[in-house]
Amino acid sequence: TAEALRAEPDVGMVADPATIVARFQRAMMGGADQHEVIPQDAGGLADVLMGAELSDPNPLAGLVSETDGVARIRVLMAEKGSANTIAVQERLMEELARRPLEGVAVGLSGTAYVAPRAWRILQTRMAEGLGWAVLLITVLFGVLFRSPTLAILSMIPNLLPLLAVLAVMALVGIPAKGNNAVVFSIAY
């Protein structure tokens, strides 16, 4: 799983218990890359963990819980929008599904998991709200002007600025993100 994450182009840093143990092993063996492996026997692993504790009282802090048997992989990645973050998370879950571990429950959590989904819901709701507002205003104009044609024509000056902003955003390369959706619905 950590290897799959490291292969992602937008992932910067991956910290997991296995990598930290392997790096402590390498440090204890003189720093050569070929020694960056996890010891295969319990005694070798205990030696590495004891050596690690000499330099850091809790070398796996934040990654391994001592009370509830939870291990974490911490990932830092470039902010390329919620769609990209969700795509990376979905590929990770697919990789985990291909290699299930008996007795191990896997899940995603944290801000990077919750925030993109919240923004996606917000964008969807804002788009729905904008659509309902346009429809309601068009119907009200139709009733007010007593003409569906005039109602539709009266919407052109209302929608033209929004379409112009969308066109400029597309030309400049500004992504349609949640904060833009909020401004869009307020502007209308």
Side-chain angles (χ1 to χ4, degrees):
T1 55
E3 299 84 29
L5 283 167
R6 285 187 187 92
E8 290 287 339
D10 296 325
V11 171
M13 190 271 303
V14 178
D16 64 297
T19 302
I20 291 174
V21 168
R23 289 192 179 155
F24 273 115
Q25 166 77 2
R26 182 179 77 183
M28 290 176 63
M29 299 299 287
D33 287 342
Q34 72 263 23
H35 295 297
E36 190 171 315
V37 294
I38 299 172
Q40 297 301 307
D41 61 348
L45 182 59
D47 288 344
V48 170
L49 291 175
M50 281 180 45
E53 287 178 1
L54 292 174
S55 65
D56 183 352
N58 194 355
L60 300 175
L63 297 178
V64 177
S65 168
E66 294 179 19
T67 57
D68 58 3
V70 173
R72 294 172 181 82
I73 298 176
R74 183 170 290 148
V75 178
L76 298 177
M77 61 184 289
E79 168 53 56
K80 300 269 178 103
S82 60
N84 183 54
T85 303
I86 290 172
V88 170
Q89 293 168 355
E90 287 173 351
R91 286 193 297 272
L92 174 62
M93 291 307 289
E94 288 169 7
E95 177 72 22
L96 290 168
R98 278 195 292 271
R99 297 188 285 158
L101 300 170
E102 188 174 326
V104 176
V106 177
L108 299 175
S109 65
T111 305
Y113 178 72
V114 175
R117 284 157 180 78
W119 275 117
R120 184 171 279 176
I121 291 168
L122 180 66
Q123 284 176 313
T124 302
R125 298 284 157 70
M126 290 295 184
E128 288 171 358
L130 182 63
W132 281 108
V134 168
L135 180 67
L136 182 63
I137 290 170
T138 304
V139 168
L140 287 174
F141 280 169
V143 170
L144 180 69
F145 296 137
R146 294 188 180 119
S147 166
T149 306
L150 283 177
I152 292 170
L153 287 173
S154 68
M155 291 307 293
I156 293 172
N158 289 309
L159 295 176
L160 203 57
L162 294 177
L163 294 173
V165 168
L166 276 176
V168 169
M169 285 174 59
L171 287 173
V172 176
I174 298 173
K177 297 197 313 190
N179 48 357
N180 299 339
V182 172
V183 172
F184 232 66
S185 74
I186 292 172
Y188 186 73

